[in-house]
mmCIF file of all heavy atoms in Angstrom:
data_model
loop_
_atom_site.group_PDB
_atom_site.id
_atom_site.type_symbol
_atom_site.label_atom_id
_atom_site.label_comp_id
_atom_site.label_asym_id
_atom_site.label_seq_id
_atom_site.Cartn_x
_atom_site.Cartn_y
_atom_site.Cartn_z
ATOM 1 N N ARG A 410 92.939 14.839 -20.382
ATOM 2 C CA ARG A 410 91.754 14.036 -20.114
ATOM 3 C C ARG A 410 92.171 12.586 -19.940
ATOM 4 O O ARG A 410 93.124 12.130 -20.564
ATOM 5 C CB ARG A 410 90.766 14.156 -21.269
ATOM 6 C CG ARG A 410 90.338 15.583 -21.484
ATOM 7 C CD ARG A 410 89.429 15.659 -22.649
ATOM 8 N NE ARG A 410 88.081 15.743 -22.133
ATOM 9 C CZ ARG A 410 86.993 15.812 -22.877
ATOM 10 N NH1 ARG A 410 87.088 15.770 -24.172
ATOM 11 N NH2 ARG A 410 85.808 15.897 -22.351
ATOM 12 N N PRO A 411 91.451 11.819 -19.131
ATOM 13 C CA PRO A 411 91.817 10.418 -18.953
ATOM 14 C C PRO A 411 91.571 9.629 -20.242
ATOM 15 O O PRO A 411 90.610 9.865 -20.956
ATOM 16 C CB PRO A 411 90.904 9.942 -17.825
ATOM 17 C CG PRO A 411 89.813 10.946 -17.754
ATOM 18 C CD PRO A 411 90.337 12.220 -18.313
ATOM 19 N N THR A 412 92.478 8.713 -20.516
ATOM 20 C CA THR A 412 92.322 7.861 -21.696
ATOM 21 C C THR A 412 91.353 6.741 -21.385
ATOM 22 O O THR A 412 91.125 6.411 -20.208
ATOM 23 C CB THR A 412 93.684 7.281 -22.114
ATOM 24 O OG1 THR A 412 94.193 6.515 -21.037
ATOM 25 C CG2 THR A 412 94.658 8.375 -22.479
ATOM 26 N N PRO A 413 90.780 6.089 -22.400
ATOM 27 C CA PRO A 413 89.830 4.994 -22.131
ATOM 28 C C PRO A 413 90.432 3.875 -21.288
ATOM 29 O O PRO A 413 89.740 3.255 -20.487
ATOM 30 C CB PRO A 413 89.463 4.497 -23.527
ATOM 31 C CG PRO A 413 89.706 5.672 -24.427
ATOM 32 C CD PRO A 413 90.846 6.402 -23.807
ATOM 33 N N GLU A 414 91.756 3.600 -21.420
ATOM 34 C CA GLU A 414 92.388 2.551 -20.629
ATOM 35 C C GLU A 414 92.360 2.896 -19.140
ATOM 36 O O GLU A 414 92.123 2.050 -18.291
ATOM 37 C CB GLU A 414 93.841 2.330 -21.061
ATOM 38 C CG GLU A 414 94.022 1.896 -22.501
ATOM 39 C CD GLU A 414 94.049 3.041 -23.466
ATOM 40 O OE1 GLU A 414 94.576 4.133 -23.150
ATOM 41 O OE2 GLU A 414 93.502 2.896 -24.564
ATOM 42 N N LYS A 415 92.593 4.180 -18.825
ATOM 43 C CA LYS A 415 92.628 4.614 -17.431
ATOM 44 C C LYS A 415 91.238 4.649 -16.812
ATOM 45 O O LYS A 415 91.074 4.471 -15.625
ATOM 46 C CB LYS A 415 93.285 5.968 -17.307
ATOM 47 C CG LYS A 415 94.766 5.942 -17.610
ATOM 48 C CD LYS A 415 95.384 7.302 -17.444
ATOM 49 C CE LYS A 415 96.866 7.254 -17.760
ATOM 50 N NZ LYS A 415 97.471 8.583 -17.655
ATOM 51 N N ILE A 416 90.217 4.885 -17.624
ATOM 52 C CA ILE A 416 88.850 4.950 -17.109
ATOM 53 C C ILE A 416 88.402 3.578 -16.641
ATOM 54 O O ILE A 416 87.776 3.417 -15.601
ATOM 55 C CB ILE A 416 87.886 5.504 -18.178
ATOM 56 C CG1 ILE A 416 88.229 6.960 -18.451
ATOM 57 C CG2 ILE A 416 86.439 5.368 -17.736
ATOM 58 C CD1 ILE A 416 87.454 7.562 -19.598
ATOM 59 N N GLY A 417 88.749 2.540 -17.394
ATOM 60 C CA GLY A 417 88.321 1.178 -17.059
ATOM 61 C C GLY A 417 89.063 0.576 -15.890
ATOM 62 O O GLY A 417 88.598 -0.386 -15.283
ATOM 63 N N GLN A 418 90.201 1.099 -15.511
ATOM 64 C CA GLN A 418 90.996 0.555 -14.411
ATOM 65 C C GLN A 418 90.596 1.208 -13.099
ATOM 66 O O GLN A 418 90.598 2.402 -12.986
ATOM 67 C CB GLN A 418 92.490 0.778 -14.652
ATOM 68 C CG GLN A 418 93.008 0.108 -15.883
ATOM 69 C CD GLN A 418 94.448 0.508 -16.166
ATOM 70 O OE1 GLN A 418 95.010 1.358 -15.491
ATOM 71 N NE2 GLN A 418 95.024 -0.116 -17.170
ATOM 72 N N ALA A 419 90.252 0.424 -12.149
ATOM 73 C CA ALA A 419 89.916 0.961 -10.823
ATOM 74 C C ALA A 419 91.121 0.745 -9.921
ATOM 75 O O ALA A 419 91.414 -0.357 -9.534
ATOM 76 C CB ALA A 419 88.691 0.260 -10.254
#
Side-chain angles (χ1 to χ4, degrees):
R410 301 177 101 181
T412 60
E414 299 85 36
K415 291 181 180 178
I416 293 173
Q418 299 173 355

